[in-house]
Amino acid sequence: MTDLENTTAADENAALPTHSGFVALIGPTNAGKSTLVNRFVGAKVSIVSHKVQTTRAVMRGIAIHQQAQIVFMDTPGIFKPRRRLDRAMVTSAWGGAKDADLILLLIDSERGLRGDAEAILEGLKDVPQPKILVLNKIDRVQPEQLLKLASAANEQVKFERTFMISASTGSGCEDVMDYLAQTLPEGPWYYPEDQISDLPMRQLAAEITREKLFLRLHQELPYSSHVETEKWEERKDGSVRIEQVIYVERDSQKKIVLGKGGDAIKAISTASRKELSEILEQPVHLFLFVKVRENWGDDPERFREMGLEFPKQ
C-alpha cells in the first residue's frame, strides 16, 4: 500500500463514528470470565486461577476494537453465598451487571446449566439490559450438546445473540468483539487509547500476588486470605520496591503460607516479582510479609480495600 493509500485509509477511519460502552461479564464461578477478559484486552488485567471465586470485586479491562472502546467488567462469579464476603461478592456481581450497557453471560459448556447457572438465568429475567449468551470451553464438548445447551438457555432468557467460544485458545472470540463493537452506542471513548485497566497499579500488584498465592496453595489455603500493597517506592536506579502483606485468620494458615523453611513464600514472591517486572517493564524488589488478623472477613476496612461494599449482616 502506498503512502497516499495509507493516508486515505487513516482519514476514512477518522471520519467513522466512535462507539463506547460497558459490558458486564457475569456467570457462575470458574466459567472463565477472567481468562476471557484478558483475552479481549490482550493483556493481564484480572487474575486467573483454577480455584473458584478468585475474582472478588468488579475489575475493568479496556479494549479497542475497530472504532469502539469496550470496557469489560469482570465480575465475581455468582454462587449461593454462605459468608459475609460471599454476599458482598455476589452483590458486586449483580451491581456490575445493572450498571452496564450490555450483559454477557458466560457459561461453562462442560458444566451446562446445573446449579448456579440456573439461578443466574432466573435472575437475568428481571434485568432490562440487552444480553448475549457466550458458551465457553466448546472444545471439550460435542456439537450436539452445545446446541441443546444454547436452546435451553434461550428458552429461559431472551438473548440477542449466542456465541460459542474457547477463551483459552481464542476460538470464536473475534466474532464476539465484532458484535460488541457494532452494537455498543455511538459516543466518545471513556479512557485514553493506551489505557487497559482502571485498576490502580498498587491494587493490581496485590491481585497478582494473591493469584500466585492461590496457584501455589490452592488445596491447602482456604479463602481466608487477603493481600494488600502497603509500600510502593520508585527508586533512583529505575527499579521499584514493593512491600505487601498477606493477611490470614489463623496461625496455622500463616505456617501454610510460609511453608517449610520459607519455601512457599519464596516461590510466591519469585513468581509475583517476575510477572510484576514484565508488566511494569522495570526491575522489582518485592517483599512479602504474613500477618494474622483474626476475622478479617468481618472488617469493613478490608472490604473497602477490595472495592466491595460491606454487608450489614
Side-chain angles (χ1 to χ4, degrees):
M1 185 177 283
T2 66
D3 291 341
L4 178 60
E5 289 172 326
N6 280 327
T7 302
T8 302
D11 290 342
E12 287 176 353
N13 285 333
L16 293 173
T18 58
H19 293 248
S20 60
F22 291 82
V23 177
L25 272 74
I26 69 168
T29 55
N30 247 6
K33 294 186 299 299
S34 296
T35 300
L36 186 57
V37 167
N38 292 339
R39 167 74 62 182
F40 283 153
V41 174
K44 188 164 192 173
V45 293
S46 194
I47 71 170
V48 178
S49 155
H50 293 301
K51 197 175 183 73
V52 298
Q53 302 161 25
T54 43
T55 300
R56 286 177 171 169
V58 175
M59 306 293 178
R60 293 181 179 88
I62 305 160
I64 306 296
H65 189 74
Q66 297 170 5
Q67 295 298 106
Q69 185 179 73
I70 308 166
V71 185
F72 292 101
M73 304 161 68
D74 180 15
T75 65
I78 298 174
F79 58 101
K80 186 176 181 180
R82 297 180 178 84
R83 308 164 298 167
R84 192 189 295 268
L85 178 58
D86 295 344
R87 293 196 296 276
M89 289 162 60
V90 171
T91 299
S92 174
W94 281 115
K98 292 173 182 176
D99 290 339
D101 296 292
L102 187 148
I103 296 172
L104 187 160
L105 172 62
L106 191 66
I107 295 292
D108 180 335
S109 298
E110 280 191 301
R111 294 209 307 261
L113 302 183
R114 298 188 300 274
D116 294 327
E118 193 72 42
I120 294 169
L121 285 170
E122 188 63 32
L124 278 177
K125 294 178 181 178
D126 298 324
V127 179
Q129 285 94 330
K131 297 166 276 286
I132 65 172
L133 173 67
V134 177
L135 303 181
N136 191 22
K137 306 179 185 179
I138 60 170
D139 47 324
R140 302 183 185 181
V141 298
Q142 296 298 316
E144 57 269 20
Q145 184 179 339
L146 288 170
L147 293 174
K148 288 180 181 179
L149 180 56
S151 176
N154 277 274
E155 284 178 5
Q156 297 188 54
V157 174
K158 181 185 176 183
F159 291 103
E160 305 296 324
R161 289 283 298 273
T162 297
F163 295 91
M164 301 182 184
I165 69 158
S166 170
S168 60
T169 67
S171 175
C173 292
E174 190 77 6
D175 293 336
V176 180
M177 291 291 280
D178 288 345
Y179 176 79
L180 295 175
Q182 296 161 13
T183 303
L184 289 175
E186 286 188 18
W189 292 355
Y190 292 99
Y191 299 95
E193 187 172 354
D194 59 351
Q195 187 170 340
I196 62 171
S197 175
D198 69 348
L199 199 66
M201 187 50 68
R202 290 170 67 106
Q203 191 176 342
L204 179 60
E207 285 291 289
I208 287 171
T209 298
R210 189 163 67 91
E211 177 190 60
K212 307 312 176 192
L213 182 71
F214 280 165
L215 291 174
R216 171 78 185 192
L217 304 170
H218 58 98
Q219 294 297 336
E220 304 168 74
L221 189 70
Y223 290 102
S224 303
S225 60
H226 173 56
V227 180
E228 291 183 15
T229 301
E230 293 209 331
K231 291 185 179 180
W232 186 292
E233 179 190 355
E234 297 285 346
R235 305 178 72 173
K236 292 181 180 179
D237 62 1
S239 66
V240 58
R241 176 190 171 95
I242 302 171
E243 294 184 13
Q244 295 179 329
V245 177
I246 300 171
Y247 288 104
V248 293
E249 289 191 318
R250 294 186 293 276
D251 280 320
S252 59
Q253 295 170 356
K254 181 176 180 179
K255 292 176 182 177
I256 291 172
V257 175
L258 292 173
K260 187 176 180 180
D263 62 338
I265 194 73
K266 288 177 184 175
I268 293 164
S269 178
T270 298
S272 184
R273 183 175 65 249
K274 181 177 183 295
E275 185 160 331
L276 284 169
S277 295
E278 293 172 355
I279 290 174
L280 296 171
E281 298 181 339
Q282 64 185 125
V284 171
H285 307 284
L286 178 63
F287 299 87
L288 299 183
F289 305 91
V290 187
K291 295 183 180 180
V292 177
R293 177 174 280 163
E294 294 184 3
N295 301 318
W296 73 260
D298 293 322
D299 181 358
E301 183 62 29
R302 304 283 75 76
F303 280 70
R304 283 192 288 272
E305 282 286 338
M306 291 184 280
L308 293 171
E309 185 175 335
F310 185 72
K312 300 293 185 192
Q313 298 179 346

